[in-house]
């Protein structure tokens, strides 16, 4: 079983590294929580979410209770992957390669999580009217979202916007340069720019509205709470009625909009790239 245990640890590590470097939910959300996640249905607590009071000093000191700002997040999402393998050594030899089965499984799991988080857009306090975006008006569209957040007192350096690939193309045609965000482990592959005074990330997992428009989402790094736990990764030695072995993994998570006044969205459609 030591062979299996070592592979399970490697797969678990690969899943964690993938999420650290490529999962936008981990990048744009508040992940500073208290509590241990052991299974779906557990809860974690985010504290200190209410701004401290500022008052006229008259010789008396007032202290805010940190617990007044506590928000409980339910871990209610449960995702898994599983696939068969015929040869354990073949599986071991592919781990670490750029395009292997476990990495693809981790990548698809990541997409599911990001889709869930971006689907919380309708809890935002602000929104903009739908826009058909071209290179001529893309900067104006981004600026309008950023202005809403600035008017909500979200400062430069604390603002993010997640855009679909067709918005990235228009921004590049408007002269904005993108780079790859390498993440903490150097395995990231998320397109990113900060040339417009905020962090702009590119994702294919943004939600769509009933008209098929893509929901471009923007907010502060404190607007959404997110917590996750890799519960298990296992190598199954014998499948029923089969000589195959199997690999499976499981991730539980939860997300919640906790500062709706620091979140906005804009439905966008592709208006072409003619300049």
């Amino acid at each position: 079983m030591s062979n299996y245990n070592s592979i399970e640890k490697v797969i678990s590590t690969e899943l964690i590294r993938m999420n650290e470097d490529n999962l936008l939910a981990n990048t744009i959300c508040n992940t500073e929580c208290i509590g241990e996640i052991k299974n779906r249905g557990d809860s974690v607590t985010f504290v200190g979410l209410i701004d401290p009071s500022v008052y006229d000093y008259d010789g008396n000191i007032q202290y805010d209770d940190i617990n007044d700002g506590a928000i409980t997040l339910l871990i209610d999402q449960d995702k898994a992957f599983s696939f068969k393998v015929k040869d354990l050594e073949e599986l071991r030899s592919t781990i670490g390669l750029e395009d292997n089965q476990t990495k693809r499984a981790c990548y698809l799991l990541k997409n599911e999580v990001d889709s869930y988080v971006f689907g919380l857009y309708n809890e935002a306090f602000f929104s903009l009217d739908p826009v058909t975006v071209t290179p001529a008006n893309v900067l104006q569209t981004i600026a309008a979202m950023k202005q809403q957040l600035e008017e909500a007192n979200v400062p430069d350096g604390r603002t993010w916007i997640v855009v679909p690939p067709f918005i990235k193309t228009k921004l590049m045609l408007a002269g904005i340069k993108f780079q790859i965000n390498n993440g903490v482990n150097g395995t990231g592959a998320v397109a990113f720019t900060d040339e417009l005074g905020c962090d702009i990330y590119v994702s294919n997992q943004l939600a769509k509205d009933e008209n098929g428009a893509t929901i471009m989402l923007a907010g502060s790094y404190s607007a959404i709470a997110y917590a996750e736990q890799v519960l298990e990764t296992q190598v199954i030695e014998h499948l029923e009625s089969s000589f195959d072995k199997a690999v499976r993994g499981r991730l539980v998570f939860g997300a919640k909009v906790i500062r709706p006044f620091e979140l906005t969205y804009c439905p966008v459609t592709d208006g072409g790239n003619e300049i």
Side-chain angles (χ1 to χ4, degrees):
M1 278 301 294
S2 60
N3 267 354
Y4 293 159
N5 288 339
S6 65
I7 292 179
E8 289 168 359
K9 289 178 181 177
V10 170
I11 294 172
S12 179
T13 299
E14 192 156 271
L15 176 55
I16 292 169
R17 283 164 59 91
M18 171 69 76
N19 282 359
E20 286 178 338
D21 281 357
N22 297 283
L23 182 64
L24 284 179
N26 262 331
T27 301
I28 65 173
C29 296
N30 180 348
T31 58
E32 300 297 323
C33 60
I34 298 171
E36 187 176 2
I37 302 171
K38 293 183 177 179
N39 213 329
R40 179 176 59 185
D42 289 344
S43 297
V44 293
T45 303
F46 290 76
V47 298
L49 298 178
I50 293 180
D51 292 334
S53 302
V54 176
Y55 53 89
D56 292 328
Y57 178 67
D58 58 3
N60 296 313
I61 302 295
Q62 305 170 27
Y63 294 97
D64 294 326
D65 188 344
I66 193 172
N67 292 323
D68 288 345
I71 287 181
T72 299
L73 174 64
L74 177 65
I75 306 301
D76 58 352
Q77 301 299 304
D78 197 339
K79 299 290 183 180
F81 64 83
S82 54
F83 56 88
K84 293 180 180 180
V85 292
K86 293 188 178 297
D87 187 281
L88 191 61
E89 287 307 314
E90 183 178 330
L91 172 67
R92 184 195 302 277
S93 67
T94 64
I95 291 177
L97 296 180
E98 192 63 33
D99 193 21
N100 65 73
Q101 195 77 350
T102 57
K103 187 164 288 186
R104 287 296 301 166
C106 295
Y107 178 78
L108 295 172
L109 189 60
K110 181 241 0 150
N111 287 350
E112 290 285 328
V113 177
D114 275 344
S115 294
Y116 178 81
V117 171
F118 299 150
L120 300 175
Y121 72 90
N122 56 2
E123 297 180 29
F125 183 81
F126 299 107
S127 65
L128 291 171
D129 291 335
V131 180
T132 299
V133 185
T134 67
N137 68 359
V138 66
L139 292 177
Q140 179 182 349
T141 305
I142 295 293
M145 299 188 80
K146 190 170 182 296
Q147 180 180 332
Q148 281 190 325
L149 296 176
E150 287 175 344
E151 290 173 349
N153 294 318
V154 180
D156 282 354
R158 293 296 302 161
T159 301
W160 52 262
I161 303 177
V162 182
V163 305
F166 70 83
I167 295 293
K168 174 194 170 187
T169 299
K170 290 161 185 38
L171 286 170
M172 292 175 66
L173 289 171
I176 304 302
K177 296 180 180 179
F178 281 78
Q179 57 186 307
I180 296 298
N181 182 3
N182 287 324
V184 296
N185 301 297
T187 63
V190 178
F192 160 85
T193 185
D194 58 3
E195 286 197 9
L196 295 176
C198 60
D199 298 329
I200 299 178
Y201 303 95
V202 182
S203 175
N204 267 321
Q205 310 318 128
L206 288 165
K208 293 185 181 295
D209 68 10
E210 63 277 6
N211 299 314
T214 302
I215 304 298
M216 196 159 65
L217 191 63
S220 79
Y221 284 97
S222 302
I224 305 173
Y226 173 76
E228 66 174 29
Q229 180 65 50
V230 177
L231 283 190
E232 55 188 340
T233 53
Q234 295 181 332
V235 174
I236 310 302
E237 186 174 2
H238 298 294
L239 290 175
E240 270 190 60
S241 305
S242 172
F243 291 104
D244 294 330
K245 300 173 177 58
V247 173
R248 65 188 184 189
R250 185 174 166 215
L251 177 79
V252 294
F253 63 94
K256 183 178 186 178
V257 174
I258 56 177
R259 290 190 172 179
F261 288 93
E262 297 181 6
L263 196 65
T264 184
Y265 69 89
C266 179
V268 291
T269 54
D270 191 346
N273 294 325
E274 187 173 341
I275 299 176

